[in-house]
Amino acid sequence: MSDRADVIVVGAGSSGAAVSAFLAERGLRVICLERRRLARAGACWVNGVPRAAFAEAGVALPGPDESDGRPWPVHLVAPRGRALVPVHDVLEIDMRKLVARLQARALAAGVILRDEVSVLGRDDDRVATSAGPVHARWIIDASGLAGARLLAQPAVERHHLCAAAQEVREVTDREAAAAFFADHGVAPGEVLNLLGVAGGFSVLNLRLHPGGATVGILTGSIPSLGFPSGKAMLATFVASQPWIGPRVFGGSGAIPLRRAHDRLADDRVALLGDAGCQVFPAHGSGVGAGLVAARLLADTLASGGSLRDYAVAWQRRHGGLFAFFDGFRRWSQGVDSETLGRMFAQGLLDGASLRAGLDQTLPRPTLRELAAKLRALVGAPALAGSLASTIARSAAVRALYARYPRRPERVPAWSRRVDWLLGERKP
């Protein structure tokens, strides 16, 4: 391995492999280091990615080996109500195949891609690794939530960590499987999203794949709030359904459910993907955000900008949206599943607003839709107060992100204002 490069990328998952490829395609010499085998880099399960993220990142849409190629209707079900999102932009992606494709693109662009190399620390432009020291002008930490932490980023608080698990399993009794979904009013191929199944902030997401040979199971919760982990929820559900057979593939892990770190870069190091908490807080999907951030980072450096320019651009373009939904995620953690069901039944949470969350865009209700929601809130004054406060605070946070400071010494004061609006600290 060479001991010098323009850029060192730590982590060869989806965001790390993508930024390595983008930078090398712009003529930079890139070394990408992965502590695991390349085939185990990044997520090894199925993840939802908006098609718009592929377009913005300049990555081709997945072929039939990565995805079945269409967004399927989503049914969100809670006690006392349910909602349907018939049309949205999210594809289910086999992350093993997407990561392999991005790694192949990086190799084709000339990236030096080394696996089973651990990063031990950093001193200015020198990165200490288990394969020897490497020097670079820029260092990109795409090593994940519990990775190298080369910018000394703070640990994510436990109440912002979702313990998720996802598996694809064989179906041993197709008739019983079809009957299970039919009992819930869901056709094969469509997504059944059961909310609050283990109490509070917990979800069980199920999809019987076309043909009925396999089923996708996704679970998630925040254990620090007193709920079983996603892995435990998945095991319990599988044990309760005799039609579910052996595991085909899958995995589990912790996902940060908070806005991106306030400091994403200094003059030498930039954070990317889960390492920077660039994860959509409403549901914990970070693949699309990581691809978009990778493209922004590569374009910034290739056009003569700095790592700090990347950080400012990401926060101003995308940080406000993520922080807006972080406010709603925090609010939803205190709402029980029956209240969510009533909000579905009353139209406060309808297909249009829920689609915005799936697609990772701002909701844009029409005047008629707003009037209907206001009428529904009149009959629920306690809910109206907390929801109105959440909307106002989230909107104010989004406005603050449009003025994210360019000067690093001003970031702490800006950060305190954001924390106060989101209920993290006192003013």
Side-chain angles (χ1 to χ4, degrees):
M1 182 173 69
S2 171
D3 66 351
R4 194 165 297 276
D6 296 314
V7 187
I8 297 170
V9 178
V10 182
S14 55
S15 59
V19 77
S20 297
F22 301 158
L23 288 165
E25 289 167 354
R26 292 297 195 96
L28 296 175
R29 180 172 175 79
V30 181
I31 297 175
C32 181
L33 306 176
E34 169 58 45
R35 65 181 176 85
R36 296 177 290 189
R37 290 182 296 108
L38 289 181
R40 297 295 299 170
C44 297
W45 53 81
V46 173
N47 212 320
V49 185
R51 287 183 292 194
F54 287 100
E56 187 170 352
V59 175
L61 285 172
D65 60 328
E66 292 179 26
S67 172
D68 55 16
R70 57 168 285 194
W72 292 82
V74 176
H75 301 257
L76 294 102
V77 180
R80 299 182 181 274
R82 62 188 295 157
L84 172 65
V85 184
V87 179
H88 57 89
D89 193 43
V90 179
L91 296 174
E92 286 196 352
I93 307 296
D94 183 340
M95 290 303 300
R96 303 171 303 167
K97 306 291 180 62
L98 175 60
V99 171
R101 174 159 64 105
L102 293 169
Q103 290 174 352
R105 179 170 171 175
L107 286 168
V111 174
I112 300 173
L113 193 55
R114 285 287 307 272
D115 62 357
E116 299 185 309
V117 174
S118 297
V119 170
L120 308 176
R122 176 187 73 90
D123 181 13
D124 195 30
D125 71 337
R126 179 184 180 274
V127 176
T129 83
S130 58
V134 189
H135 295 260
R137 179 180 178 185
W138 297 300
I139 302 161
I140 299 173
D141 185 349
S143 60
L145 180 65
R149 298 181 61 163
L150 295 180
L151 198 60
Q153 60 267 37
V156 176
E157 301 90 337
R158 293 179 62 207
H159 59 281
H160 295 322
L161 285 176
C162 174
Q166 198 281 334
E167 291 182 353
V168 173
R169 284 185 169 255
E170 294 178 9
V171 172
T172 55
D173 186 338
R174 298 192 186 190
E175 289 186 3
F180 174 89
F181 282 86
D183 288 345
H184 287 84
V186 177
E190 298 181 351
V191 179
L192 171 60
N193 198 323
L194 299 170
L195 302 176
V197 290
F201 192 86
S202 59
V203 63
L204 173 62
N205 184 297
L206 305 166
R207 180 170 176 243
L208 184 62
H209 300 137
T214 55
V215 61
I217 309 169
L218 169 66
T219 56
S221 71
I222 301 179
S224 70
L225 300 181
F227 308 118
S229 69
K231 192 173 182 179
M233 290 168 56
L234 193 149
T236 299
F237 177 74
V238 168
S240 72
Q241 303 298 323
W243 53 270
I244 299 179
R247 188 177 91 153
V248 180
F249 68 92
S252 60
I255 300 173
L257 294 180
R258 52 151 291 160
R259 71 183 193 277
H261 284 307
D262 295 333
R263 191 171 72 117
L264 286 175
D266 61 13
D267 293 332
R268 185 73 67 188
V269 179
L271 303 179
L272 184 66
D274 281 19
C277 291
Q278 290 169 317
V279 175
F280 197 69
H283 45 64
S285 178
V287 177
L291 293 178
V292 169
R295 171 57 66 184
L296 177 60
L297 176 50
D299 288 350
T300 300
L301 294 183
S303 62
S306 68
L307 296 179
R308 292 187 190 275
D309 291 334
Y310 147 75
V312 172
W314 198 91
Q315 299 285 26
R316 291 186 176 185
R317 294 183 196 178
H318 306 287
L321 172 68
F322 282 49
F324 180 90
F325 276 95
D326 190 11
F328 277 92
R329 188 269 308 174
R330 294 165 188 252
W331 173 81
S332 71
Q333 288 180 194
V335 176
D336 59 58
S337 56
E338 289 196 0
T339 300
L340 285 177
R342 286 194 295 269
M343 293 178 70
F344 291 156
Q346 295 166 351
L348 291 170
L349 287 174
D350 55 13
S353 56
L354 292 166
R355 175 180 178 172
L358 288 174
D359 291 349
Q360 303 180 28
T361 61
L362 277 177
R364 301 187 184 279
T366 65
L367 290 176
R368 177 176 294 182
E369 290 168 342
L370 278 175
K373 294 179 191 302
L374 289 172
R375 287 194 296 270
L377 282 171
V378 168
L383 180 62
S386 66
L387 192 56
S389 174
T390 298
I391 292 172
R393 286 174 175 268
S394 296
V397 165
R398 182 168 177 263
L400 272 179
Y401 269 82
R403 301 191 298 275
Y404 179 84
R406 286 196 173 276
R407 294 171 58 180
E409 66 270 18
R410 294 184 176 179
V411 171
W414 174 91
S415 178
R416 286 192 293 271
R417 291 194 292 271
V418 174
D419 283 340
W420 176 73
L421 284 169
L422 291 176
E424 282 289 309
R425 298 176 186 166
K426 294 181 180 180

